[in-house]
């Protein structure tokens, strides 16, 4: 029996993927030691949080060799610029305002705040990406964010008008320590926003590859409202984001004087209609996942059987779950093309598919390409018009296997 990381109530298992390597644990040499943990997701009927049952120590995931760079997608660059613009607009008329971003990565959002001369700070524990943020003129503190770090920031810079984080809050197991830090750092009339993959999208599309070591929590309006209340914060708005396969941005306020946007109730009502507040809402998830894996393996095997070649596109973190659970390795996928310099010539965790440069893909013109970075589908299909014009085909798999 496991217990909820938010409220300590007993939890119910939703799905078990078995032994899984760390999603960003790309290796240099096949045969190298790989850290493996049991990847299981569970649900708390008391506070509605969907969460990993077993977690990986943060230093195994976020270190100076962290491979995830925010700035590898043009679509995400545009998205982060939009986030910055929203903050800048909201801060109009508030002199000397201060913005803190948790997990600022290489600075795709804060660099726009910095360019406007707005006081800011990125809190980023991964040294290599923090260095890149500094090169983008972003002020960075290389630490994990908690009450202690929050107190240090307040002492040096004062309290924050905005505290934000994109694809960060879902990564932090001790999320209470983050919220305790927020209560120290946030001004009474300030606001918090964070965005992460949205549970309802994951359940509706069966997009199980969002489940991996770094994603400890799978947030919904139901669970965020409960979590916020525990820290004297109110969930005042929710805005759906068409990124990362469906994300939700949650806005939180403290103190008095806020109004709750009707969208919050509307989203929560939809979540309830899917029964995401009870185990029944997750009962068929495992079957859908197994169907997709079966269908995908079958499709890839048929293509190989007919003598065509398949490569992958985007050595994403999320593909670690898909490839390992569906048992897709180099016998089916020759290599994965990726535009992140750190990943080139390494091998994927667990299944050991080689990673090659984007130029390799362009020269190669393989018959079939498994779109592992499916969350950037629109951007990639637009970029690869020529590949498709010459007869190349993309294979996608959520909510069902499709060749296009
Ligand atoms: P990302 O979307 O961040 O997913 P995850 O969080 O699961 O890692 O990763 C996208 C990966 O795909 C990243 O390694 C960069 C790569 N990529 C390309 O190689 N070409 C592209 O055009 C895009 C958009 C991404």
């Amino acid at each position: 029996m496991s217990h909820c990381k938010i409220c300590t109530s007993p939890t119910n298992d939703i799905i078990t993927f078995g032994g899984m390597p760390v999603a960003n644990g790309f290796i240099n040499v096949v045969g190298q030691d790989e850290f493996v943990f049991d990847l299981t997701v569970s649900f708390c009927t008391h506070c509605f949080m969907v969460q990993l049952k077993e977690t990986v120590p943060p230093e195994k995931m976020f270190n100076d060799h962290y491979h995830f760079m925010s700035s590898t997608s043009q679509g995400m660059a545009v998205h982060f610029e939009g986030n910055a613009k929203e903050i800048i607009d909201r801060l109009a008329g508030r002199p000397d305002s201060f913005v803190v971003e948790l997990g600022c990565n290489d600075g795709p959002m804060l660099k726009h705040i910095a360019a406007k001369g707005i006081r800011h700070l990125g809190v980023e524990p991964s040294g290599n990406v923090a260095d890149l943020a500094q090169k983008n003129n972003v002020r960075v503190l290389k630490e994990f964010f908690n009450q202690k770090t929050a107190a240090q920031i307040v002492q040096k810079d004062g309290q924050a008008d905005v505290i934000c984080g994109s694809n960060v809050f879902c990564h932090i197991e001790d999320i209470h320590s983050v919220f305790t830090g927020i209560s120290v750092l946030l001004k009474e009339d300030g606001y918090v926003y964070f965005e992460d993959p949205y549970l309802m999208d994951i359940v509706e599309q069966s997009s199980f590859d969002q489940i991996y070591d770094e994603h400890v929590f799978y947030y919904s309006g139901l669970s965020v409202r409960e979590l916020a209340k525990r820290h004297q914060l109110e969930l005042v708005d929710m805005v759906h984001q068409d990124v990362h396969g469906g994300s939700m941005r949650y806005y939180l306020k403290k103190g008095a004087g806020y109004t709750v946007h009707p969208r919050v109730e509307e989203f929560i009502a939809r979540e309830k209609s899917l029964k995401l507040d009870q185990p029944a809402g997750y009962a068929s998830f495992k079957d859908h996942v197994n169907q997709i894996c079966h269908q995908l393996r079958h499709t890839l095997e048929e293509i190989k059987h007919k003598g065509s070649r398949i490569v992958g596109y985007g050595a994403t973190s999320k593909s670690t779950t898909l490839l390992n659970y569906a048992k897709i390795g180099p016998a089916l996928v020759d290599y994965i093309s990726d535009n992140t310099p750190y990943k080139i010539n390494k091998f994927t965790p667990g299944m050991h598919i080689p990673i090659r440069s984007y130029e390799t893909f362009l020269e190669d013109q393989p018959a079939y390409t498994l779109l592992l970075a499916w969350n950037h589908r629109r951007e990639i299909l637009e970029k690869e018009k020529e590949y498709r014009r010459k007869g190349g085909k993309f294979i996608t798999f959520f909510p069902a296997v499709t060749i296009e």
Side-chain angles (χ1 to χ4, degrees):
M1 163 94 52
S2 65
H3 291 89
C4 176
K5 294 175 189 6
I6 304 298
C7 72
T8 72
S9 304
T11 56
N12 298 6
D13 288 355
I14 296 172
I15 185 167
T16 299
F17 297 96
M20 191 61 71
V22 168
N24 263 299
F26 299 95
I27 55 169
N28 293 315
V29 184
V30 174
Q32 197 178 315
D33 263 2
E34 287 179 88
F35 178 81
V36 171
F37 74 108
D38 175 63
L39 181 60
T40 297
V41 181
S42 53
F43 166 68
C44 174
T45 46
H46 186 72
C47 75
F48 316 123
M49 189 63 83
V50 173
Q51 55 199 281
L52 288 190
K53 189 170 177 178
E54 186 187 320
T55 53
V56 171
E59 56 281 8
K60 293 247 183 247
M61 301 183 284
F62 311 113
N63 52 41
D64 286 353
H65 312 292
Y66 188 51
H67 286 95
F68 181 80
M69 300 289 151
S70 290
S71 303
T72 49
S73 148
Q74 191 46 40
M76 287 310 290
V78 171
H79 176 75
F80 288 130
E81 188 175 356
N83 287 5
K85 188 174 178 313
E86 183 188 316
I87 293 176
I88 293 163
D89 290 349
R90 282 179 175 237
L91 288 178
R94 285 174 74 114
D96 196 31
S97 42
F98 180 40
V99 177
V100 176
E101 185 178 24
L102 312 185
C104 68
N105 204 273
D106 51 354
M109 196 288 283
L110 273 187
K111 71 178 180 189
H112 300 288
I113 301 286
K116 286 277 175 201
I118 297 173
R119 282 200 307 128
H120 67 275
L121 184 69
V123 186
E124 176 54 71
S126 294
N128 57 333
V129 284
D131 291 343
L132 292 174
Q134 279 169 337
K135 285 195 183 131
N136 283 326
N137 297 321
V138 170
R139 224 180 119 224
V140 188
L141 179 67
K142 291 183 191 174
E143 297 279 359
F144 285 101
F145 181 79
N146 52 35
Q147 192 174 357
K148 193 167 146 236
T149 337
Q152 282 167 7
I153 299 171
V154 172
Q155 205 177 28
K156 202 162 170 209
D157 296 289
Q159 283 184 304
D161 297 77
V162 179
I163 302 175
C164 56
S166 295
N167 302 304
V168 168
F169 281 54
C170 71
H171 287 220
I172 304 171
E173 177 166 14
D174 189 4
I175 196 67
H176 287 313
S177 72
V178 170
F179 276 89
T180 315
I182 286 173
S183 60
V184 171
L185 182 58
L186 188 68
K187 281 186 186 165
E188 277 307 302
D189 62 349
Y191 76 95
V192 179
Y193 85 70
F194 67 96
E195 61 181 51
D196 282 298
Y198 183 35
L199 177 69
M200 192 155 77
D201 288 313
I202 297 174
V203 172
E204 282 189 319
Q205 303 174 91
S206 308
S207 46
F208 69 96
D209 62 352
Q210 297 284 8
I211 300 168
Y212 57 91
D213 55 310
E214 292 177 23
H215 290 173
V216 179
F217 296 113
Y218 303 85
Y219 294 116
S220 60
L222 282 158
S223 61
V224 168
R225 187 166 62 177
E226 293 293 316
L227 173 61
K229 276 203 187 111
R230 286 176 174 265
H231 294 276
Q232 291 73 52
L233 290 162
E234 191 71 33
L235 172 61
V236 295
D237 203 356
M238 292 169 69
V239 181
H240 191 264
Q241 307 294 314
D242 188 20
V243 293
H244 284 306
S247 291
M248 183 59 77
R249 185 180 299 162
Y250 304 92
Y251 294 80
L252 313 179
K253 296 261 310 174
K254 75 173 173 184
Y258 53 75
T259 47
V260 179
H261 197 285
R263 272 192 293 260
V264 172
E265 271 315 320
E266 285 160 22
F267 275 117
I268 290 178
R270 274 196 68 196
E271 292 169 8
K272 284 187 174 164
S273 73
L274 281 180
K275 299 194 167 65
L276 298 185
D277 55 344
Q278 42 188 292
Y282 307 92
S284 55
F285 184 69
K286 189 176 174 177
D287 289 344
H288 289 150
V289 168
N290 288 339
Q291 270 164 24
I292 289 171
C293 288
H294 178 78
Q295 206 188 357
L296 182 59
R297 255 201 82 88
H298 180 72
T299 306
L300 301 182
E301 281 166 355
E302 264 197 329
I303 292 171
K304 283 302 263 193
H305 192 67
K306 288 182 185 153
S308 294
R309 288 177 51 237
I310 309 165
V311 309
Y313 198 115
T316 55
S317 323
K318 60 178 79 61
S319 54
T320 297
T321 303
L322 175 89
L323 297 172
N324 282 276
Y325 189 58
K327 302 228 171 340
I328 297 169
L332 290 172
V333 173
D334 292 5
Y335 63 85
I336 300 173
S337 147
D338 199 282
N339 62 7
T340 316
Y342 287 91
K343 296 182 184 174
I344 312 298
N345 292 332
K346 296 200 166 144
F347 297 87
T348 63
M351 295 313 289
H352 306 157
I353 302 176
I355 302 166
R356 298 285 178 253
S357 66
Y358 177 51
E359 289 68 34
T360 308
F361 170 79
L362 286 181
E363 283 161 24
D364 196 17
Q365 182 69 30
Y368 290 89
T369 300
L370 182 60
L371 188 53
L372 296 166
W374 61 271
N375 47 313
H376 303 289
R377 182 178 166 280
R378 204 179 312 131
E379 176 179 344
I380 292 171
L381 291 194
E382 178 64 28
K383 192 160 93 181
E384 303 309 340
K385 272 195 205 136
E386 190 55 16
Y387 165 72
R388 294 174 77 207
R389 199 189 57 75
K390 288 183 185 160
K393 294 209 167 5
F394 278 102
I395 306 167
T396 53
F397 33 83
F398 295 132
V401 178
T402 309
I403 298 181
E404 55 187 330

